[in-house]
């Protein structure tokens, strides 16, 4: 296996040596625990240089002077450049975080390309300014939507390229420049992104990459040159970033964790549910923020559903994530594997009924766990309240629909969910009562054209859709006086 060794940072359109080249991080393949590559971490002086380069791009005509149509053309070139290396980029994500390769091709490979094309089209057609007649009749007002400035994009490891592009594509479409801080577990793919940006001819400083951990992130988000912070990650880090941005009065979007509910109604088709279970509840080895990991079941159907869900989980092909036949790969890191294992053993220790899983590790090497399904879980139990971020499901019985909705809403989180019914109207009526940022009926998949995000501990603000583009702009009203004072 080729090692992906990097010695430089991407700042101002060039690869440059860090001020202190001694601080390097090794990336490890979670499937076999062997080295996958390495990169240097940025220090404060490197972050300062990246923010200065990004500011320079905004002030330079080569980027700051472009209109939406010219920016749109550059975004299309960027998409083309990424598309040329789609399989390699997908494999890079699998190498670093263990995502099954078929999923990586469909998401990490294709989604960044689709996102750039979507925002390129939107930037080319969405008016970024309009003139309105004043309500008092005294002339008109020109309302412009200016770029919000230099964006600090801080992203996690689970869908590194896609979640970066959730921010980068609309930010560029709005005319911003970006300093990206990838997660240390998945930084190698950020170099592929930088290569594509260069190859597409993005002007220097429009995209900069400063690898590193929490210290690099802290310095970046608090930097005086930043106009907005766009963050995806854990709720704990989101709260910390929210505090910093609050004290600075700095715009911030926070896409955080979740503990979403699948509500199976009385008339749910169990076959449809189990066919889609792996996608809506276990996607990416259970490391996806919007998964329906609490499965709410009518008491009378509980045992039948438990048996069916357990059978699906137990039959998943666990193995090498580079093998297209694999359905469940390893968790991203030893730390994550240990966390998930301790959630499972704590649930077992308090006597929670195990349907499947929780046995020995499926492989000696690599950070694999067997998927686990628990039945008859109380919604107050840690297993129902805390995000596990691994292949662990909790079945919760309910009496009537009102109780199901109450349980679904009784969560610190509010990101997503699903409702399952043979009657889509009935499903919709229940979905309207669930308090989350997004929800699916008889399936769940994110729509790039519609806002995505959460409420409560799942975050603040929305990404995707036209709302996701507006979030990187700052409205400005320019009052245009009438030519002459009125007669009175
Ligand atoms: P994390 O919060 O530990 O790290 C995320 C990023 O923040 C990393 O780049 C990390 O280096 C950086 N960071 C950490 N501390 C920081 C600080 N104090 N200041 C600035 N940056 C800091 O999260 P993770 O473990 O990498 O990701 C998993 C979490 O992300 C899960 O909780 C998951 O639910 C959440 N997530 C949410 C969404 C969503 O859209 N809502 C999507 C994917 C993942």
């Amino acid at each position: 296996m080729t090692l992906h060794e990097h010695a430089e940072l991407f700042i101002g359109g060039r690869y440059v040596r860090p001020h202190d080249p001694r601080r390097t991080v090794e990336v490890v393949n979670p499937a076999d625990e062997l080295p996958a590559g390495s990169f240097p971490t940025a220090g404060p002086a490197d972050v300062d240089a990246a923010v200065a380069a990004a500011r320079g791009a905004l002030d330079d005509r080569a980027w700051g002077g472009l209109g939406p149509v010219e920016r749109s053309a550059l975004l299309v070139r960027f998409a083309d450049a990424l598309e040329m290396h789609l399989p390699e980029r997908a494999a890079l994500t699998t190498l670093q975080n263990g995502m099954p390769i078929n999923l990586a091709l469909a998401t990490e490979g294709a989604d960044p390309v689709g996102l750039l094309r979507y925002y390129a089209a939107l930037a080319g057609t969405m008016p970024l300014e309009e003139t309105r007649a004043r309500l008092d009749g005294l002339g008109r007002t020109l309302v412009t939507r200016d770029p919000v400035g230099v964006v600090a994009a801080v992203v996690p490891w689970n869908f590194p390229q896609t979640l970066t592009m959730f921010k980068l594509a609309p930010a560029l479409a709005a005319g911003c420049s970006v300093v990206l801080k990838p997660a240390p577990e998945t930084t190698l793919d950020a170099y592929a992104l930088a290569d594509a940006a260069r190859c597409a001819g993005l002007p220097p400083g429009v995209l900069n990459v400063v690898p590193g951990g929490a210290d690099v992130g802290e310095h970046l988000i608090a930097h005086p040159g930043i106009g907005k912070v766009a963050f995806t990650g854990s709720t704990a880090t989101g709260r910390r970033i929210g505090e910093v941005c609050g004290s600075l009065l700095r715009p911030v979007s926070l896409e955080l964790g979740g503990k979403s509910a699948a509500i199976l109604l009385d008339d749910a088709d169990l076959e449809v549910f189990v066919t889609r279970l792996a996608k809506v509840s276990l996607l990416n080895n259970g490391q996806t923020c919007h998964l329906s990991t609490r499965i709410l079941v009518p008491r009378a159907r509980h045992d039948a559903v438990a048996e069916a869900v357990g059978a699906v989980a137990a039959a998943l092909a666990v193995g090498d994530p580079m093998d297209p036949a694999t359905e469940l790969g390893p968790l991203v890191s030893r730390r994550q594997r240990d966390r998930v294992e301790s959630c499972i053993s704590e649930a077992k220790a308090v006597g929670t009924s195990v349907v499947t899983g929780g046995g020995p590790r499926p492989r000696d090497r690599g950070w694999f766990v067997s998927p686990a399904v628990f039945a008859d879980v109380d919604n107050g139990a840690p297993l129902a309240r805390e995000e596990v971020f691994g292949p662990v499901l909790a079945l919760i019985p309910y009496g009537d629909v009102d109780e199901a909705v109450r349980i679904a809403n009784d969560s610190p989180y509010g990101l997503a969910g699903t409702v399952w019914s043979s009657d889509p109207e009935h499903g919709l009526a229940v979905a309207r009562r669930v308090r989350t940022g997004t929800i699916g009926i008889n399936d769940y998949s994110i729509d790039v054209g519609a806002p995505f995000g959460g409420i409560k501990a799942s975050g603040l603000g929305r990404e995707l859709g036209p709302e996701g583009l507006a979030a990187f702009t700052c409205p400005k009203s320019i009052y245009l006086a009438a030519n002459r004072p009125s007669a009175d």
Side-chain angles (χ1 to χ4, degrees):
M1 178 71 71
T2 326
L3 279 185
H4 299 263
E5 309 273 18
H6 296 276
E8 291 164 323
L9 314 170
F10 186 67
I11 295 176
R14 294 186 302 124
Y15 286 105
V16 294
R17 306 287 288 186
H19 281 79
D20 178 359
R22 289 166 305 176
R23 293 173 65 212
T24 58
V25 173
E26 187 176 79
V27 179
V28 177
N29 180 349
D32 57 16
E33 303 178 36
L34 294 173
S38 65
F39 61 87
T41 64
D46 303 309
V47 173
D48 295 349
V51 175
R55 181 69 245 172
L58 290 179
D59 296 338
D60 193 295
R61 288 192 55 75
W63 179 248
L66 300 186
V69 173
E70 295 153 308
R71 286 200 295 271
S72 172
L74 269 175
L75 262 63
V76 170
R77 294 230 302 266
F78 194 5
D80 292 343
L82 283 174
E83 199 161 31
M84 283 201 301
H85 299 286
L86 190 155
E88 297 93 315
R89 284 188 302 98
L92 211 42
T93 292
T94 298
L95 177 72
Q96 298 173 96
N97 74 3
M99 179 183 292
I101 188 68
N102 278 341
L103 177 65
L105 286 163
T107 57
E108 292 284 286
D111 284 350
V113 176
L115 279 157
L116 278 169
R117 295 204 194 289
Y118 168 72
Y119 278 109
L122 206 60
T125 55
M126 203 165 105
L128 285 180
E129 55 181 65
E130 61 176 297
T131 307
R132 303 179 188 172
R134 286 182 63 110
L135 286 184
D136 57 13
L138 302 175
R140 294 161 302 136
T141 299
L142 175 68
V143 180
T144 65
R145 283 195 163 274
D146 299 345
V148 77
V150 177
V151 173
V154 181
V155 300
W157 43 260
N158 59 341
F159 288 86
Q161 302 183 49
T162 307
L163 293 172
T164 295
M165 205 51 87
F166 272 30
K167 296 153 187 56
L168 187 56
L172 298 187
C176 299
S177 55
V178 174
V179 180
L180 166 67
K181 197 210 76 65
E185 295 85 350
T186 51
T187 290
L188 305 179
D189 54 276
Y191 287 91
L193 197 71
D195 286 345
R198 237 170 41 146
C199 168
L202 245 63
V206 172
L207 170 66
N208 309 272
V209 184
V210 288
D215 55 330
V216 179
E218 285 263 351
H219 186 70
L220 174 63
I221 60 149
H223 196 288
I226 295 298
K228 172 177 173 145
V229 176
F231 172 74
T232 299
S234 63
T235 296
T237 305
R239 284 191 206 284
R240 164 78 194 137
I241 291 178
E243 279 170 20
V244 172
C245 290
S247 70
L248 293 169
L249 300 179
R250 175 166 293 170
V252 60
S253 64
L254 303 170
E255 300 287 358
L256 311 177
K259 189 78 197 185
S260 302
I263 304 178
L264 265 77
L265 296 174
D266 272 335
D267 64 349
D269 183 330
L270 187 53
E271 209 178 308
V272 170
F273 178 64
V274 295
T275 311
R276 296 177 183 165
L277 177 73
K279 177 180 163 208
V280 300
S281 298
L282 293 162
L283 191 79
N284 193 21
N285 315 330
Q287 301 170 130
T288 308
C289 55
H290 57 67
L291 297 181
S292 292
T293 49
R294 290 183 296 153
I295 301 177
L296 280 43
V297 192
R299 194 159 278 117
R301 299 184 71 183
H302 174 271
D303 292 355
V305 175
E307 194 183 326
V309 169
V312 170
L316 288 174
V318 180
D320 177 2
M322 289 291 183
D323 179 346
T326 292
E327 293 168 302
L328 204 83
L331 298 183
V332 68
S333 60
R334 182 187 299 277
R335 189 172 132 244
Q336 186 71 7
R337 194 266 316 269
D338 292 351
R339 237 183 54 97
V340 172
E341 282 185 344
S342 79
C343 290
I344 295 174
S345 45
E346 278 164 29
K348 285 167 74 178
V350 296
T352 319
S353 146
V354 184
V355 182
T356 189
R361 292 174 183 160
R363 288 185 156 210
D364 293 340
R365 279 192 84 80
W367 299 310
F368 292 88
V369 292
S370 300
V373 177
F374 290 88
D376 263 319
V377 178
D378 186 292
N379 194 50
L383 196 60
R385 301 209 80 72
E386 293 163 14
E387 183 181 52
V388 178
F389 229 50
V392 181
L393 304 179
L395 269 84
I396 304 174
Y398 70 80
D400 59 16
V401 175
D402 287 345
E403 191 188 4
V405 171
R406 189 184 56 69
I407 295 172
N409 288 336
D410 178 13
S411 171
Y413 295 104
L415 182 60
T418 46
V419 180
W420 301 80
S421 169
S422 301
D423 172 1
E425 287 304 314
H426 184 29
L428 179 59
V430 174
R432 287 184 194 277
R433 297 173 61 193
V434 179
R435 291 196 302 276
T436 55
T438 63
I439 190 158
I441 294 165
N442 291 330
D443 204 350
Y444 184 97
S445 65
I446 292 176
D447 174 9
V448 169
F452 175 79
I455 61 169
K456 300 193 279 184
S458 293
L460 281 179
R462 293 292 179 267
E463 295 187 310
L464 303 184
E467 294 83 355
L469 176 51
F472 288 100
T473 64
C474 181
K476 178 174 177 184
S477 295
I478 304 175
Y479 307 124
L480 307 169
N483 275 345
R484 294 155 171 265
S486 60
D488 50 15

